[in-house]
Amino acid sequence: MNTVSGNPTEEEARRLRHALLGQELRNFEEEHGAFSAGELAEAHERIAAAFGRDPEGTRPERTSRDR
């Protein structure tokens, strides 16, 4: 039993999605060449923004307005 998420199937699904995404990225790079540093930086920024984090991976401080 997975005690991290409380639901083993959710954790398994997350791991499978992660593995499939990794394989798709490898396939893309094999066909089109490696991602440039700029492309990787842009992707990192977009992912961080989607999860409410700054590009360094930390969450911005919450204000009373956020609560």
Side-chain angles (χ1 to χ4, degrees):
M1 179 176 178
N2 183 334
T3 58
V4 174
S5 70
N7 186 342
T9 57
E10 286 180 20
E11 180 64 18
E12 291 165 6
R14 185 194 67 76
R15 287 182 187 177
L16 179 58
R17 284 191 304 272
H18 185 82
L20 291 172
L21 176 59
Q23 185 59 51
E24 285 299 313
L25 292 171
R26 285 186 293 278
N27 291 344
F28 183 89
E29 285 189 310
E30 285 178 14
E31 185 174 336
H32 301 283
F35 291 102
S36 70
E39 290 170 323
L40 292 173
E42 179 183 351
H44 183 73
E45 289 174 8
R46 292 176 71 178
I47 291 167
F51 286 94
R53 298 172 188 259
D54 65 30
E56 286 75 39
T58 58
R59 292 177 188 244
E61 288 189 34
R62 293 177 70 190
T63 65
S64 59
R65 200 172 124 215
D66 296 329
R67 292 183 182 123

